Amino acid sequence: MALNVKPTRSELINLKKRIKLSERGYKLLKMKRDGLILEFFKVLAEAKDLRNDLAVKYARAQEMIAIAETVEGSIGVKAAAFSASESPQIDLKSKNIMGVVVPKIEARSVKKTLTDRGYGVLGTSSAIDEAAEAFEDLVETIILSAELETTMKRLLDEIEGTKRRVNALEFKVIPELIEARNFIKMRLDEMEREELFRMKRVKSKSEK
């Protein structure tokens, strides 16, 4: 890069400004990267707990549906499932984590009362109720899990992008700017010495 710059004082001033700006940007990006990493690990810890919870709730839902099919038969379970009059409603919103837009999922009508489930209370056993409740719990956890998993992916993508910019500034942009600055300073010093030497020769000749 040093060979492509003009050894002038105005160029030297411009390079010094660019170095200061790059170093300031480097510090800010490092702070952002470190902050994003902290946020990522917070979400990761929460997601790990949720994954364990999800496995437990899935196992319970499978157990409850097996019991319900034993008591009511598969046709009775399907009839109860198809009688549901209202499906869960999902509102997809967003929130901001250090400049990263991540999803905020709000669900309605996931957990229902006995009367809201649609099937007749008198015509079914408690096994249907327990299976329905277990799957409602499972769906709620799946929705929350989807929010956290998407948040982690977006944070990770932003971390990787920020790391690339930090590395580019640290190992390429700033060193090249410093190299160009040092080159110009060296050339200006050489030109100043040459000019001083020339003036001395002129003065010496004039005195003779």
Side-chain angles (χ1 to χ4, degrees):
M1 182 177 177
L3 298 176
N4 297 325
V5 294
K6 296 178 181 179
T8 62
R9 296 198 179 279
S10 61
E11 186 67 20
L12 180 62
I13 292 170
N14 182 47
L15 276 170
K16 286 180 178 179
K17 288 179 181 177
R18 288 175 63 189
I19 289 170
K20 282 186 179 180
L21 185 62
S22 297
E23 287 175 341
R24 191 179 304 121
Y26 169 73
K27 289 177 182 177
L28 289 173
L29 282 172
K30 273 190 71 177
M31 289 172 61
K32 180 183 179 180
R33 180 199 63 191
D34 295 343
L36 285 170
I37 290 172
L38 286 175
E39 291 295 331
F40 174 79
F41 279 111
K42 286 180 186 176
V43 178
L44 178 62
E46 192 176 347
K48 282 182 177 178
D49 293 338
L50 193 63
R51 284 172 187 170
N52 294 331
D53 191 33
L54 187 61
V56 170
K57 288 183 177 179
Y58 177 78
R60 173 171 169 74
Q62 291 298 311
E63 181 184 352
M64 291 300 102
I65 199 70
I67 293 172
E69 286 181 344
T70 301
V71 175
E72 296 286 341
S74 60
I75 294 176
V77 171
K78 287 178 182 178
F82 283 124
S83 63
S85 58
E86 187 179 3
S87 299
Q89 302 295 313
I90 293 177
D91 292 329
L92 185 58
K93 299 182 179 179
S94 62
K95 60 182 179 181
N96 192 302
I97 299 178
M98 297 193 68
V100 183
V101 178
V102 298
K104 177 67 177 175
I105 303 175
E106 295 182 357
R108 304 190 309 274
S109 303
V110 177
K111 300 198 77 170
K112 300 180 177 68
T113 61
L114 286 174
T115 54
D116 290 335
R117 287 179 184 147
Y119 56 80
V121 179
L122 297 177
T124 57
S125 66
S126 60
I128 293 287
D129 300 333
E130 290 176 355
E133 184 178 353
F135 272 92
E136 287 165 1
D137 286 341
L138 178 61
V139 169
E140 275 195 337
T141 307
I142 288 172
I143 291 170
L144 183 55
S145 179
E147 178 183 316
L148 290 179
E149 295 290 339
T150 306
T151 297
M152 281 199 305
K153 185 181 183 306
R154 291 190 182 177
L155 285 174
L156 195 58
D157 289 343
E158 187 66 22
I159 288 168
E160 288 300 320
T162 305
K163 281 172 67 177
R164 284 194 295 270
R165 291 193 291 272
V166 167
N167 289 339
L169 284 169
E170 183 177 3
F171 299 111
K172 182 174 174 60
V173 176
I174 294 175
E176 286 184 353
L177 289 173
I178 291 174
E179 181 188 0
R181 180 199 64 189
N182 293 342
F183 169 76
I184 291 177
K185 285 176 69 176
M186 180 187 70
R187 288 293 297 128
L188 288 175
D189 289 342
E190 288 177 356
M191 291 165 65
E192 188 175 343
R193 285 194 298 270
E194 288 171 0
E195 180 65 17
L196 184 61
F197 179 72
R198 189 187 67 80
M199 290 177 66
K200 284 182 177 179
R201 287 186 63 186
V202 171
K203 183 179 180 182
S204 177
K205 286 182 179 181
S206 64
E207 286 176 351
K208 287 180 180 179

